Amino acid sequence: QKMTSVSTSMRSSTRLFLLAIAFLYEYAVSTAAYKTENENITSKWQLPNFLILFADDLGMGDLSCYGHPTQMTPNLDKLAAEGIRFTQWYSAFHICTPSRAAMMTGRLPIRSGLAGSNWAGSVLTSSSRGGLPLNETTIAEALKQKNYATMAIGKWHLGQQGKFLPTAQGFDEYYGIPYSDDMGNSAWRPNALDVPLPLLHSTPMNITIVEQPTDLNLLTNRYAAKGVQFIKEKSAAKIPWLLYMAFNHVHTPSFVGIQHCNTTLRGRFGDALAEMDDAIGQIMSVVNKARADENTVVFFTSDNGPWLIQRLQSGSAGLLRDGKTTTWEGGFREPGIIRWKGKIKAGRISTEVVTTYDIFPTSLSLAGISLPSDRHIDGKDISEILFSDTAKTPHECIFYYKGIDSPGCLQDDKHHVCSGLWAVRCGAYKAHFYTRNYNSPVVKLHDPPLIFQIEKDPGESYPINQNTDEYKNVKGKVEAEVSKHKQSLMPVPNQFLAGSDISVAVCCDPDSKIRYPTHPKCTCNPENYKVDVCEMDYGQGNSISTTITSTPRAVKFEDLQEQITL
Amino acid sequence: QKMTSVSTSMRSSTRLFLLAIAFLYEYAVSTAAYKTENENITSKWQLPNFLILFADDLGMGDLSCYGHPTQMTPNLDKLAAEGIRFTQWYSAFHICTPSRAAMMTGRLPIRSGLAGSNWAGSVLTSSSRGGLPLNETTIAEALKQKNYATMAIGKWHLGQQGKFLPTAQGFDEYYGIPYSDDMGNSAWRPNALDVPLPLLHSTPMNITIVEQPTDLNLLTNRYAAKGVQFIKEKSAAKIPWLLYMAFNHVHTPSFVGIQHCNTTLRGRFGDALAEMDDAIGQIMSVVNKARADENTVVFFTSDNGPWLIQRLQSGSAGLLRDGKTTTWEGGFREPGIIRWKGKIKAGRISTEVVTTYDIFPTSLSLAGISLPSDRHIDGKDISEILFSDTAKTPHECIFYYKGIDSPGCLQDDKHHVCSGLWAVRCGAYKAHFYTRNYNSPVVKLHDPPLIFQIEKDPGESYPINQNTDEYKNVKGKVEAEVSKHKQSLMPVPNQFLAGSDISVAVCCDPDSKIRYPTHPKCTCNPENYKVDVCEMDYGQGNSISTTITSTPRAVKFEDLQEQITL
């Protein structure tokens, strides 16, 4: 079989390093939380597959179908044209880790202890002690009730320790990098002293470090190849499946494979987005060839808005204000596409307010699985919106957190503790209690809140006059909703307060941890291992100027080509 | 016949006022400028029809197919899906009159004396002496060579005097308002002292004032009805036709018919855009019913970017910088759609640089008519781009004028005369010599020029470092192109320097001009004439607060409904 032989050649050529950890697999799904249902095993292929395509730092304005003038994304445009394109789709947070925690669990990150330790929010690092708590129920764990085959590919960022990896959280298999692609030594930062960026491959019982540091140029192609393989195998076996594909693109750095180097009008950032779009084209093509089109619900979105400090290497929020790290619309609002051929009418555009954490309850609903009843789920089942032009959003309000209640907030002299809840959207209105722009350290307190009618004024330019009845009504409604929301919160351990410890960093060479306890080298590629990069191009006027010299690669691109041959 | 009876009922109910002017029709088409061609009269229906749908003050980000989150424009989206949607389409100017002059002639307004009298550029007023010079060749005049039936509907703004109206410039018929819908007394400014806004209906021999002031709420429906009638009649007679429909929307004020009142998420501005979209739907529907789909080239664009000082009543330039009245991209770049069923592949997106003044040479080319050879035509025949995915733009550079060389420029202390040429785009680069933001009086001189790579940086945020080779190469190229361009300019009379004269204002009551020579009333509606308006809604925080009380209409909406029944 072709796939088998490729897999063998890959194993030999990339020198897999086995982490000999007989670790205790804490598969702590709280099954008691579910109503179990009688399930006819023979009808399981009638259950829909779920394909979650997840981008990184993509802005509302980055795709051609969302209006970018020079970025062409034909495969994502096609996905939208065949399904429903949302224009008021919200992530749960303005940065990565908390946003992904919400997607996995259907719950705001404030509920899982992943909303950050200060006003800025936080992301996990290469040596974090914390992670997505195991008593949280992930979408993969939930779908396991109906024996879904589950795989996660790409960036995880919910804990790099074995006990927090996807394969400890309901996924049968994981292939990817455990945190962001700009973290640690790699071709991006070849002289960085921190632990090199690893590429992992794991099952619930085994964790393999494929490469450390990994070749950033190859990641997207490798991800696509793994995704293709999974879809083919599970579809052929008529096993319902969940595939979560979390691309590194368009997070900085924009490393791409040689075949995407200088192929777009938009520079290397454009190349990176085009590479992801192509990979999505490959994935959708295999869904089609596997005759799974009408049996697969496809979601596409991103974790948070564009990382504007990266200037020309950042995305665009379109007409929305600001981007990543802020509670302006540009930080939270995302492209959002759902396609289910034959079930969702093609070519729809929906202005209903929906969220990334709706993926969890919506998928469970479509699979006939009840929600956990022992916890608060913030996401909503939006399947009615998918099937009806007139259905309205089930969301009363959307909450924009920035960290949790804590000291450490820069502010004016009026207050001394910043609330973690910085903004709330109820209906067409959004109230800001605090704001901060991505390029300024100043946190601005708004008391009374700054209120916008966000459907007339999506750019948040014209605050509503505080002396109007409109303002007073909205303020009253928002205050009541915030109070209700706060009552639903339960205290949980803050995962970021667990701190970090180099000894729990992923390291392919345990010896180096002993020899260099503060800065283990953990570089397990062969002596002459080099990566051939598509030279970084930051454009003029960009503050970042790293350039990587082109050198031969250990892994030939041709090897990879085989894997993605369908 | 239905159309006839409706036309009669309209005449009786609206009290047409005949301007008894036996005016000399200066149909001064310089036919000598053309190469005449032998034309087989019987094959004339094989010539394509041209439908130019023209919006007012619409921004790059205003349509749903260009990414607006809460504005749905299903008919324009459909037009784009059936044709080609351009993402780098430029108007010729940042305000109305000059931009429209270029569309009509294929020439930059600097060549027809319509680029303005000062740094801001200018628009014609209700009593302007100037207009589009009669020695200019309009698209209508050019198509007359092949006996096209020609009609203009809507806002003209190239001279309100009879000698400058569309029917003096190659159009067989004109129905519309001769300048902007915010000029003069109307429901929008019921107490304004200047001449009330007239609705005209003219032929080359007759000018009728249908209403003065006109009922702003009814305009779009009336325009649609007139357009439908023209398309039906000419198509049925197999006469090739040119229809220029210049909507008042989305120029301030956003008056709409009752059936569009409060129908959108985006407030009254959204209602206005939806009304235009619906009217376009009606027009396209009659093109289809007349079996003219494959025989009609449809253009859609707008004159200039969003009028941002109108705040919530303005459009959006999406991710582009600034808007109307500026030479930033938001002032010049526009939605641009071309549909020709069966000839242009459906669903294309083109990033090629094209312009509104390409409509002139492209239409002539498709109709087999040679361009005037005695003058410089700035527009290009872009038909190759329409038929090929790989064709490149024929434009070397795009010129952004702001008035003509003249004093009167606000500036720093370095220079005393602002050039009329404020910016140039050559290839992917745009050089600014001067800039000014819409909300500031300060004109900024850039010497050396401020240069952006506009395809990587469409938001004009990151100027290229002046010390780089990239900068120096671009600067050299731009300077050479500007010099070449300046050599192509010929001195022409500036139409704005002709000034204004109340005696040439459109006035249905010549007596009132005599009795009130400085402020003639010119209100010829019956004593009890009232308009029923969809109450103005400027949203909170908007500086404009005019409110119009709802009153009975003289013209019943029901009368109009009949006309737009297909």
Side-chain angles (χ1 to χ4, degrees), chain A residues 30-194:
Chain A
S30 53
T31 41
Y34 300 111
K35 283 187 248 160
T36 50
E37 291 181 6
N38 282 326
E39 160 83 342
N40 181 351
I41 295 293
T42 60
S43 74
K44 63 185 178 180
W45 178 241
Q46 287 167 19
L47 291 170
N49 308 310
F50 298 104
L51 172 57
I52 303 172
L53 303 167
F54 209 66
D56 200 350
D57 289 0
L58 187 74
M60 186 71 185
D62 277 321
L63 309 184
S64 40
C65 59
Y66 281 85
H68 198 281
T70 51
Q71 180 80 52
M72 295 297 104
T73 49
N75 292 297
L76 283 163
D77 290 8
K78 183 162 180 278
L79 198 70
E82 293 173 351
I84 183 165
R85 178 169 77 80
F86 288 91
T87 64
Q88 300 202 83
W89 176 298
Y90 287 91
S91 75
F93 217 80
H94 52 79
I95 49 172
C96 176
T97 296
S99 173
R100 285 160 199 250
M103 198 267 278
M104 274 292 141
T105 61
R107 286 150 56 79
L108 288 176
I110 192 85
R111 300 189 195 278
S112 55
L114 281 165
S117 57
N118 59 31
W119 65 273
S122 310
V123 297
L124 296 169
T125 68
S126 58
S127 56
S128 283
R129 282 207 189 92
L132 179 66
L134 299 178
N135 62 1
E136 290 292 330
T137 299
T138 68
I139 185 171
E141 287 168 334
L143 292 173
K144 271 294 167 197
Q145 282 183 96
K146 295 222 175 171
N147 301 307
Y148 272 69
T150 55
M151 183 169 188
I153 294 174
K155 172 173 163 181
W156 179 239
H157 222 173
L158 296 172
Q160 84 291 348
Q161 294 184 74
K163 66 178 176 185
F164 289 128
L165 285 183
T167 38
Q169 303 267 23
F171 288 96
D172 304 326
E173 191 179 356
Y174 170 56
Y175 181 91
I177 59 173
Y179 34 81
S180 290
D181 59 357
D182 64 341
M183 291 179 168
N185 178 311
S186 71
W188 156 248
R189 296 165 59 208
N191 302 317
L193 288 177
D194 42 343

Side-chain angles (χ1 to χ4, degrees), chain A residues 352-509:
Chain A
E352 291 304 309
V353 170
V354 296
T355 77
T356 302
Y357 39 105
D358 296 339
I359 294 175
F360 179 95
T362 304
S363 300
L364 267 56
S365 162
L366 296 174
I369 297 171
S370 301
L371 287 178
S373 57
D374 63 346
R375 60 196 71 189
H376 189 100
I377 304 288
D378 300 282
K380 305 285 183 189
D381 175 7
I382 58 164
S383 50
E384 240 189 279
I385 295 175
L386 305 184
F387 307 131
S388 150
D389 276 335
T390 53
K392 294 293 168 199
T393 180
H395 287 282
E396 282 285 328
C397 299
I398 297 292
F399 300 92
Y400 305 65
Y401 273 90
K402 194 125 169 69
I404 58 169
D405 288 2
S406 75
C409 177
L410 306 169
Q411 61 209 306
D412 67 14
D413 48 13
K414 240 177 135 180
H415 280 65
H416 296 286
V417 176
C418 281
S419 168
L421 184 64
W422 277 33
V424 177
R425 174 181 175 163
C426 298
Y429 294 92
K430 180 175 173 187
H432 290 272
F433 308 114
Y434 298 91
T435 55
R436 177 183 158 266
N437 301 334
Y438 82 95
N439 57 357
S440 157
V442 179
V443 174
K444 221 167 158 179
L445 166 71
H446 303 283
D447 184 12
L450 193 66
I451 298 180
F452 297 98
Q453 208 282 23
I454 217 82
E455 293 186 338
K456 292 183 185 173
D457 181 19
E460 295 173 284
S461 302
Y462 309 110
I464 297 179
N465 187 320
Q466 292 170 13
N467 301 320
T468 59
D469 287 343
E470 184 182 20
Y471 182 92
K472 288 165 197 161
N473 291 340
V474 172
K475 184 165 173 282
K477 155 96 174 159
V478 163
E479 281 166 355
E481 291 286 344
V482 167
S483 156
K484 205 164 79 183
H485 166 72
K486 293 229 160 165
Q487 279 163 31
S488 78
L489 298 178
M490 312 265 277
V492 288
N494 188 328
Q495 294 297 316
F496 295 100
L497 295 182
S500 66
D501 178 353
I502 193 73
S503 75
V504 298
V506 175
C507 184
C508 58
D509 177 9

Side-chain angles (χ1 to χ4, degrees), chain B residues 124-265:
Chain B
L124 296 169
T125 68
S126 57
S127 56
S128 282
R129 281 207 189 91
L132 179 66
L134 298 178
N135 62 359
E136 290 292 329
T137 300
T138 68
I139 184 171
E141 286 167 334
L143 292 173
K144 273 292 167 198
Q145 280 184 96
K146 294 221 174 168
N147 301 308
Y148 273 69
T150 54
M151 181 169 191
I153 294 173
K155 172 174 164 181
W156 179 239
H157 221 173
L158 296 172
Q160 84 292 350
Q161 295 184 76
K163 65 178 177 182
F164 289 128
L165 284 184
T167 37
Q169 303 269 21
F171 288 95
D172 304 326
E173 189 178 358
Y174 170 57
Y175 181 90
I177 59 173
Y179 34 80
S180 291
D181 58 359
D182 63 342
M183 292 176 167
N185 179 309
S186 71
W188 156 247
R189 296 165 60 209
N191 302 316
L193 288 176
D194 42 342
V195 170
L197 181 69
L199 174 62
L200 304 182
H201 190 186
S202 68
T203 66
M205 298 311 293
N206 264 324
I207 301 171
T208 305
I209 301 178
V210 180
E211 252 175 23
Q212 191 171 17
T214 192
D215 184 343
L216 290 165
N217 303 274
L218 302 181
L219 277 177
T220 303
N221 280 313
R222 286 171 161 179
Y223 291 171
K226 284 288 179 188
V228 162
Q229 183 181 356
F230 175 81
I231 292 169
K232 280 175 76 170
E233 285 179 9
K234 302 311 168 191
S235 299
K238 301 267 186 252
I239 299 166
W241 49 263
L242 160 70
L243 173 59
Y244 169 49
M245 288 205 70
F247 295 93
N248 304 317
H249 295 321
V250 289
H251 197 290
T252 300
S254 297
F255 277 82
V256 296
I258 297 302
Q259 81 277 38
H260 284 97
C261 197
N262 299 323
T263 56
T264 67
L265 297 179

Side-chain angles (χ1 to χ4, degrees), chain B residues 381-552:
Chain B
D381 174 6
I382 58 165
S383 50
E384 241 189 277
I385 295 175
L386 304 185
F387 307 132
S388 149
D389 275 334
T390 55
K392 294 292 166 199
T393 179
H395 287 281
E396 283 284 329
C397 299
I398 298 292
F399 300 92
Y400 304 66
Y401 273 91
K402 193 125 171 70
I404 58 168
D405 289 1
S406 75
C409 177
L410 307 169
Q411 61 210 302
D412 65 15
D413 47 14
K414 242 177 132 178
H415 280 65
H416 296 287
V417 176
C418 280
S419 165
L421 184 63
W422 276 32
V424 177
R425 174 181 174 163
C426 298
Y429 294 93
K430 179 174 174 186
H432 289 272
F433 309 114
Y434 298 91
T435 56
R436 178 183 158 268
N437 301 335
Y438 82 94
N439 55 359
S440 157
V442 178
V443 174
K444 222 166 158 181
L445 166 71
H446 302 283
D447 183 13
L450 192 66
I451 297 180
F452 297 97
Q453 208 282 22
I454 216 83
E455 293 186 339
K456 293 183 184 174
D457 181 18
E460 296 174 283
S461 302
Y462 309 111
I464 296 178
N465 186 319
Q466 292 171 13
N467 301 318
T468 59
D469 287 345
E470 185 184 17
Y471 182 91
K472 288 166 195 159
N473 291 341
V474 173
K475 185 165 173 282
K477 157 94 173 161
V478 163
E479 281 165 358
E481 291 286 344
V482 166
S483 156
K484 206 164 78 184
H485 166 73
K486 292 229 160 165
Q487 280 163 31
S488 79
L489 297 178
M490 313 266 276
V492 289
N494 187 329
Q495 294 297 315
F496 296 99
L497 296 182
S500 65
D501 178 353
I502 194 73
S503 76
V504 298
V506 175
C507 184
C508 57
D509 176 9
D511 279 355
S512 94
K513 278 197 186 181
I514 296 161
R515 277 182 290 144
Y516 314 97
T518 56
H519 292 96
K521 286 187 179 160
C522 302
T523 303
C524 303
N525 293 335
E527 193 69 31
N528 295 324
Y529 184 88
K530 294 265 174 69
V531 294
D532 187 15
V533 303
C534 176
E535 224 171 81
M536 297 308 293
D537 159 28
Y538 285 95
Q540 299 300 333
N542 201 294
S543 54
I544 302 162
S545 59
T546 310
T547 298
I548 310 290
T549 311
S550 189
T551 48

